[in-house]
C-alpha cells in the first residue's frame, strides 16, 4: 500500500460545492488545504514539515534547495531523481529559488508569496514573505512549512494553500482536501465529511414562488439565510448576529431547538450559517437536507451572477490585470454582455443540468436571431458586462467567430494611433531620472509604521509596497492611487512622505480646496508628531505675510512637507529639494494648473490620488504610462452607509436629524445654493428647534470658514448646512448622517463622494437623497414631457437613474458598479474622446480597454527591443 495510514488520519476529505470551501476553514490558526485530489497531493500533505527560524543556517537552507527527490508515478519502473527547486535569476513562480550573496529567495508550494531570508555568515538575521512584483516585505515569519514531494503539475501546485501563524510552530497543521465527489476514493485513513450540499433551484424574479418556497422550508424546520442586495422580504426576523442594516443578509425562521442537533466533527450547522452570513460575494446559495439549512442569493432569486476577471499572467502586466479586474461586477437578467470569442449577446439566465451525478450550471446567452450559446460557469471569465454610450442600444452579434474577429480587427486598427501617442509619452518619461531612496526600512520608519492605529487591509498594504518600491528606483514614479472614500489612501501617502523626508527630500501635497488642505495639514501633523519634521500649509486660510514666510522657508529647504491649494503652483514657490509631489483629486484642477503640475514634476516622483470611481481617471492609466494602485477593500469594522431616496420629505429629514443628534452624532445637510442657504437654515430651525445649526459655503472669508469648521469639528454645532465644499476629503468621524437636498442636481460621482463623508467609523451611517421632480412611477411620462420642453435642463430619467444607482450600491467597495453605471448614464465616449466612442459602442468599454492595453504593450515591447539593440551596438 502506497500511503501511510497512521499519518493520513490527520487529513480531512470534505465533499462540498467548490464555492463553499471557505465555510470549512478556520479564521485563525494553521491549516493547509487543496481543492484537488491526487496521490501526489496526499503525499505532499503528509510529508509537510516545519522549519523554524531558530534552526535555519545558510548552509542548511542552501543544501535543502539544491536537494533532489526520488519521484516516480509507477513503482515498478526505475525511479528517477529530480530537483525540487529550480535555480533562477529572479524568483517568479512556485519552486523557484535564487541565492545572491548571503540572501536566499525561494517560493515554497502553498504560499501566496515567496520567502526572503537574510544571513550574516551562517546565522539567520531576518526571514519574511515579500511581494514578488515589488520586492517589499509583507510580513515577518518564524517558521515555514515545506515538503520534499515534487508536484510537477502546476495546477496541483496552485491548488494548495498554506496558512499558519507564528504561534503554530510546534503544532501540526490541520490538513484538508476538498473534492466534488468521494465515490471513487477509498476513505480508509481519512477523516471524511460527505456533505449533502446542493445548489438551490432558480426562481428568476418570481418572488411569489420564492416566498412560498421559503415558507415551505420554514414549516419543515429549515433555517433560511437570504443574502441579497435587492430582495426586501416582509416580516423577516433579523438575526442578532448581524445588526448591520447594509449587509442585506437576514436569517429567517430561526429554530433554536435544531440549531445544534446535527453536528459533524468538523463544522456545525450554526457555524455554517454564521460563516455564510459573514462571507462577501458568496458566488451562489446552497442547501442541506441533513442540516436543514437553505441559503439564497440574488443568483437564485433573480438570476444575477457575478462576473470575474482572473489574472492573465502571460497576456498582460500586473497594471493591466488590476485594471481589468475593475470590470468585475453583477449582471442581471436581460443585461447585455460581451463574449470575447463570439460578441455581444443578452444574458438570459442560468440553466442547471445533471452530468455524472453532479449539477453543472451554464449561462444562457442569446445572440442575433435565434442563436443561443450555453457557456459553462467555469468559463465565466470570457464574459464582460457591455458598457457603451448613452442612449444607444447595442446590436446583437451574429454567432460566429469569423465575423466577430473582423470587428475586433477593425477596432485594433483604430486604436493604433491612440496607442502610439500614449507610448510616445511613455518614452519621454523613461528619459527622466530620479534619486532612489534606500529600500531598507530604518528604525524610525518601523516606529512610524507601528504608530498607525489601525490594521492595514490587504489592498492598502499592497499599495504601500507598490509606492515604496517605485521610490527605490531611479525612474520618477508616476502612479495613480485609487480607492473608495475612507479606504485608507492617506496612510499610503504618509508612508511615502516619511521615506522621502527621511532621505532628505521635500514633499508637496496639492489639494483642490482650502478645507481639504487644512484637514491634510491637521492629519499630517498629528501622524508625524513623534518626529522632528517641519510641516506647513500654504492657503487662503493664512495671511499673505504668513504664506510668504512659509514660501521663503520652503525655498530654503527648511520645510519638509508642505500642503497647499493651487497657491503651491505660483511662480514664487521654488522647492529647494522637491522629491515627491502628491496631487489629490487631479481631475478637479484646471487645464493651466495641470500643465504647471507637469512642468514641476520632471524628475520628481508623482503620486496622483483619487476617490472618484475609476473611469474618470482610467484614460491615463490604460497602460504602464501611469501605474495604478487600487484599494477596493474597506477598513475592518467599517459599515456600509444605508442610503434612501426621499421626495421632498422634510418630515423624514427632520426625524433623521433628531435620531442622529439623540445618539450623540452630528449631521451634514448639503444644500448647494449659496443664495438660499440661510433660508434652509431658518426652515430647519422652525421644523426642529433646540438643535444647534451653522451654515458654511465657499464664498465666506477664509477666517470665518476656518472658525466654523473648527467649531463644528469640536461639536459646538449639531448640524452643518453646507454646499458641496464638504465633498473632498473632509473627515469628521462623529458625522454619521447626511441629507442631500435637491439631489437630482448632482452627478453620480459627486453623490458618491458626498456619501463617503459619513459612515467613516464603526457606527452605522445614513444618507438621504432628497429631490424635487419626478417620482420613479412618473418617470416615463415626464421624460416625454421633457422632450417637448427645452427649458428643462435635467432629464428625469437620468437623475432618477443616478439616485437609484446609489441606493442599489450601498455596500462597501461598490466602486465598480457605481463606475459602470456612471459610464452607462454619461456615455463612455466622454472618457476617451468622441473619436473612439463608435468603436466602444461596437464592442463595449471593457473589451475596448483590453484591446487598447494590448496594443500599447506591443508598441512598448518594440520600443524596448529597439533600445536594447542600440545599447548592444
Amino acid at each position: 500500500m502506497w500511503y501511510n495510514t497512521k499519518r493520513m488520519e490527520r487529513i480531512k476529505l470534505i465533499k462540498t460545492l467548490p464555492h463553499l470551501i471557505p465555510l470549512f476553514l478556520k479564521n485563525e490558526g494553521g491549516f493547509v488545504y487543496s481543492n484537488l485530489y491526487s496521490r501526489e497531493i496526499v503525499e505532499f500533505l503528509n510529508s509537510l514539515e516545519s522549519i523554524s527560524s531558530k534552526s535555519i543556517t545558510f548552509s542548511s537552507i542552501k543544501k535543502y534547495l539544491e536537494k533532489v527527490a526520488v519521484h516516480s508515478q509507477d513503482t515498478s519502473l526505475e525511479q528517477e531523481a529530480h530537483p525540487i527547486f529550480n535555480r533562477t535569476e529572479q524568483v517568479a513562480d512556485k519552486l523557484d529559488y535564487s541565492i545572491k550573496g548571503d540572501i536566499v529567495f525561494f517560493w515554497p508550494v502553498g504560499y501566496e508569496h515567496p520567502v526572503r531570508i537574510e544571513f550574516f555568515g551562517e546565522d539567520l538575521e531576518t526571514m519574511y514573505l515579500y511581494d514578488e512584483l515589488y520586492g517589499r516585505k509583507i510580513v515577518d515569519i518564524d517558521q515555514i512549512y515545506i515538503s520534499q514531494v515534487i508536484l510537477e503539475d502546476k495546477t496541483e501546485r496552485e491548488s494548495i494553500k498554506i496558512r499558519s501563524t507564528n504561534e503554530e510552530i510546534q503544532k501540526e497543521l490541520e490538513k484538508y482536501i476538498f473534492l466534488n465527489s468521494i465515490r471513487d476514493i477509498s476513505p480508509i485513513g481519512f477523516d471524511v465529511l460527505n456533505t449533502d450540499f446542493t445548489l438551490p433551484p432558480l426562481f428568476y424574479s418570481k418572488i411569489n414562488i420564492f416566498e412560498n418556497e421559503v415558507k415551505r422550508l420554514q414549516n419543515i424546520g429549515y433555517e433560511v439565510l437570504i443574502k441579497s442586495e435587492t430582495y426586501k422580504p416582509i416580516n423577516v426576523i433579523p438575526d442578532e448576529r448581524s445588526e448591520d442594516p447594509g449587509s442585506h443578509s437576514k436569517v429567517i425562521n430561526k429554530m433554536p431547538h435544531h440549531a445544534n442537533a446535527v453536528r459533524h466533527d468538523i463544522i456545525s450547522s450554526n457555524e455554517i450559517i454564521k460563516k455564510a452570513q459573514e462571507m462577501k460575494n458568496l458566488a451562489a446559495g446552497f442547501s442541506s437536507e441533513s442540516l436543514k439549512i437553505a441559503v439564497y442569493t440574488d443568483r437564485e432569486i433573480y438570476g444575477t451572477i457575478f462576473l470575474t476577471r482572473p489574472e492573465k499572467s502571460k497576456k498582460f502586466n500586473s497594471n493591466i490585470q488590476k485594471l481589468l479586474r475593475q470590470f468585475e461586477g453583477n449582471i442581471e437578467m436581460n443585461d447585455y454582455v460581451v463574449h470575447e470569442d463570439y460578441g455581444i449577446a443578452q444574458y438570459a439566465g442560468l440553466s442547471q443540468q445533471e452530468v455524472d451525478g453532479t449539477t453543472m450550471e451554464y449561462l444562457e446567452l442569446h445572440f442575433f436571431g435565434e442563436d443561443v450559446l450555453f457557456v459553462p460557469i467555469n468559463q465565466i471569465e470570457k464574459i464582460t458586462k457591455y458598457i457603451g454610450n448613452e442612449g444607444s442600444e447595442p446590436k446583437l452579434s451574429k454567432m460566429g467567430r469569423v465575423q466577430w474577429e473582423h470587428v475586433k480587427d477593425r477596432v485594433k486598427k483604430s486604436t493604433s494611433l491612440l496607442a502610439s501617442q500614449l507610448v510616445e509619452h511613455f518614452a519621454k518619461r523613461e528619459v527622466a531620472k530620479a534619486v532612489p531612496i534606500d529600500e531598507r526600512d530604518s528604525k524610525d520608519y518601523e516606529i512610524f509604521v507601528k504608530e498607525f492605529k489601525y490594521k492595514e487591509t490587504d489592498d492598502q498594504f499592497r499599495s504601500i509596497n507598490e509606492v515604496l518600491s517605485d521610490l527605490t528606483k531611479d525612474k520618477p514614479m508616476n502612479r495613480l492611487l485609487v480607492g473608495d472614500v475612507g479606504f485608507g489612501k492617506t496612510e499610503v501617502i504618509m508612508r511615502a512622505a516619511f521615506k522621502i523626508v527621511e532621505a532628505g527630500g521635500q514633499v508637496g501635497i496639492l489639494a483642490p480646496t482650502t478645507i481639504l488642505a487644512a484637514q491634510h495639514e491637521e492629519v499630517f501633523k498629528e501622524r508625524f508628531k513623534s518626529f522632528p519634521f517641519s510641516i506647513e500649509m500654504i492657503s487662503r486660510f493664512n495671511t499673505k505675510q504668513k504664506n510668504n514666510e512659509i514660501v521663503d522657508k520652503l525655498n530654503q529647504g527648511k520645510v519638509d512637507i508642505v500642503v497647499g491649494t493651487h497657491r503651491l503652483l505660483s511662480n514664487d514657490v521654488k522647492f529647494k529639494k522637491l522629491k515627491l509631489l502628491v496631487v489629490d483629486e487631479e481631475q478637479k484642477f484646471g487645464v493651466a494648473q495641470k500643465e504647471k503640475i507637469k512642468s514641476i514634476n520632471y524628475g520628481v516622483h508623482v503620486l496622483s490620488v483619487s476617490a472618484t470611481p475609476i473611469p474618470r481617471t482610467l484614460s491615463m492609466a490604460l497602460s504602464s504610462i501611469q501605474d495604478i494602485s487600487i484599494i477596493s477593500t474597506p477598513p475592518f469594522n467599517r459599515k456600509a452607509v444605508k442610503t434612501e431616496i426621499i421626495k421632498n420629505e422634510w418630515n423624514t429629514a427632520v426625524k433623521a436629524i433628531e435620531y442622529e443628534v439623540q445618539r450623540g452624532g452630528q449631521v451634514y445637510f448639503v444644500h448647494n445654493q449659496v443664495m438660499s442657504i440661510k433660508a434652509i437654515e431658518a426652515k430647519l430651525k422652525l421644523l426642529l428647534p433646540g438643535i444647534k445649526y451653522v451654515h458654511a459655503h465657499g464664498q465666506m472669508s477664509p477666517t470665518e470658514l476656518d472658525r466654523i469648521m473648527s467649531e463644528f469639528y469640536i461639536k459646538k454645532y449639531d448640524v452643518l448646512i453646507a454646499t458641496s465644499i464638504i465633498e473632498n476629503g473632509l473627515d469628521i468621524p462623529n458625522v454619521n448622517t447626511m441629507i442631500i437636498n435637491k439631489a437630482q442636481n448632482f452627478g453620480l460621482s459627486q453623490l458618491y463622494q458626498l456619501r463617503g463623508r459619513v459612515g467613516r467609523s464603526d457606527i452605522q451611517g445614513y444618507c438621504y437623497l432628497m429631490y424635487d421632480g419626478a417620482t420613479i412611477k412618473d418617470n416615463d411620462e415626464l421624460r416625454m414631457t421633457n422632450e417637448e420642453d427645452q427649458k428643462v435642463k435635467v432629464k428625469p430619467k437620468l437623475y432618477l437613474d443616478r439616485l437609484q444607482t446609489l441606493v442599489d450600491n450601498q455596500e462597501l467597495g461598490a466602486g465598480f458598479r457605481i463606475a459602470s453605471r456612471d459610464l452607462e448614464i454619461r456615455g463612455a465616449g466622454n472618457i476617451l474622446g468622441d473619436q473612439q466612442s463608435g468603436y466602444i459602442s461596437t464592442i463595449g468599454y471593457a473589451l475596448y480597454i483590453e484591446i487598447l492595453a494590448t496594443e500599447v504593450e506591443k508598441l512598448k515591447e518594440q520600443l524596448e527591443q529597439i533600445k536594447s539593440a542600440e545599447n548592444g551596438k
Side-chain angles (χ1 to χ4, degrees), residues 28-267:
E28 297 177 354
F31 59 81
V32 56
Y33 76 90
S34 172
N35 52 19
L36 291 175
Y37 177 91
S38 71
R39 168 180 168 172
E40 287 71 25
I41 284 174
V42 173
E43 289 179 336
F44 179 92
L45 296 184
N46 276 325
S47 66
L48 274 175
E49 56 184 349
S50 171
I51 299 180
S52 167
S53 59
K54 296 175 183 177
S55 63
I56 294 176
T57 63
F58 181 77
S59 298
S60 66
I61 197 68
K62 185 172 181 288
K63 185 177 179 182
Y64 171 77
L65 292 171
E66 293 172 347
K67 206 171 191 177
V68 295
V70 174
H71 176 74
S72 174
Q73 292 281 352
D74 189 341
T75 53
S76 66
L77 299 175
E78 185 178 344
Q79 294 180 331
E80 296 181 8
H82 297 283
I84 300 172
F85 284 85
N86 309 306
R87 186 157 189 170
T88 58
E89 182 62 27
Q90 185 171 350
V91 172
D93 207 348
K94 289 182 174 67
L95 295 183
D96 285 352
Y97 83 97
S98 176
I99 299 176
K100 297 178 180 177
D102 54 3
I103 302 177
V104 177
F105 309 82
F106 70 107
W107 198 337
V109 169
Y111 284 86
E112 189 177 352
H113 299 284
V115 179
R116 173 172 171 150
I117 312 179
E118 298 177 9
F119 293 91
F120 183 76
E122 282 290 302
D123 300 330
L124 181 145
E125 288 197 318
T126 59
M127 182 167 73
Y128 55 84
L129 298 179
Y130 69 93
D131 188 297
E132 62 276 11
L133 286 175
Y134 299 99
R136 295 282 306 170
K137 178 167 71 175
I138 294 174
V139 64
D140 289 309
I141 54 175
D142 289 333
Q143 103 287 343
I144 191 160
Y145 286 92
I146 53 176
S147 172
Q148 294 185 24
V149 173
I150 295 175
L151 293 174
E152 292 183 339
D153 189 328
K154 190 170 181 178
T155 303
E156 289 185 339
R157 295 204 297 265
E158 294 297 328
S159 79
I160 294 173
K161 310 290 180 188
I162 293 176
R163 174 170 171 175
S164 63
T165 61
N166 291 337
E167 291 75 22
E168 298 294 317
I169 297 174
Q170 304 302 325
K171 297 180 182 179
E172 287 284 338
L173 284 181
E174 290 204 47
K175 302 168 185 176
Y176 303 91
I177 295 178
F178 295 96
L179 59 168
N180 293 331
S181 172
I182 60 171
R183 287 183 303 173
D184 301 323
I185 298 172
S186 170
I188 298 173
F190 295 101
D191 183 3
V192 178
L193 177 58
N194 190 0
T195 69
D196 63 344
F197 290 133
T198 58
L199 290 167
L202 304 169
F203 295 93
Y204 293 123
S205 300
K206 295 171 183 173
I207 301 302
N208 289 339
I209 296 175
F210 170 67
E211 290 180 344
N212 287 335
E213 173 64 7
V214 170
K215 288 175 185 175
R216 184 187 74 79
L217 292 173
Q218 287 178 312
N219 291 334
I220 59 175
Y222 268 68
E223 192 165 14
V224 181
L225 172 63
I226 299 174
K227 287 180 70 72
S228 169
E229 297 171 15
T230 310
Y231 177 72
K232 294 178 174 58
I234 302 170
N235 298 324
V236 168
I237 304 170
D239 178 33
E240 71 270 15
R241 287 173 295 211
S242 177
E243 298 177 355
D244 179 6
S247 68
H248 305 283
S249 180
K250 304 289 183 187
V251 176
I252 59 179
N253 194 46
K254 292 176 59 193
M255 304 290 290
H257 64 275
H258 84 265
N260 288 304
V262 183
R263 185 177 177 88
H264 295 275
D265 291 337
I266 296 176
I267 196 165

Side-chain angles (χ1 to χ4, degrees), residues 694-696 700 703-713 717 720:
V694 67
H695 68 269
M700 287 178 165
T703 307
E704 187 181 9
L705 193 57
D706 190 25
R707 175 187 61 78
I708 290 170
M709 299 309 297
S710 298
E711 288 176 349
F712 184 67
Y713 185 80
Y717 301 102
L720 173 65

Side-chain angles (χ1 to χ4, degrees), residues 650 669 671 676-685 721 741:
W650 285 87
F669 190 101
H671 180 77
S676 53
I677 200 166
K678 288 183 180 179
I680 292 293
E681 183 177 359
K683 183 171 183 174
L684 285 171
K685 283 179 178 177
I721 305 161
N741 191 29

Side-chain angles (χ1 to χ4, degrees), residues 506 538 550-558 567-578 596 600:
Q506 288 175 301
I538 300 175
I550 294 171
V551 169
D552 288 341
K553 288 168 65 180
L554 188 65
N555 294 344
Q556 294 171 40
K558 294 179 180 178
R567 175 68 176 84
L568 271 185
L569 303 175
S570 302
N571 292 330
D572 63 331
V573 178
K574 297 173 182 175
F575 291 86
K576 184 175 182 180
K577 45 186 178 179
L578 180 65
K596 179 70 173 176
I600 287 177

Side-chain angles (χ1 to χ4, degrees), residues 782-790:
L782 279 172
R783 181 164 53 84
M784 292 176 65
T785 307
N786 178 66
E787 290 169 0
E788 300 165 7
D789 184 1
Q790 299 302 316

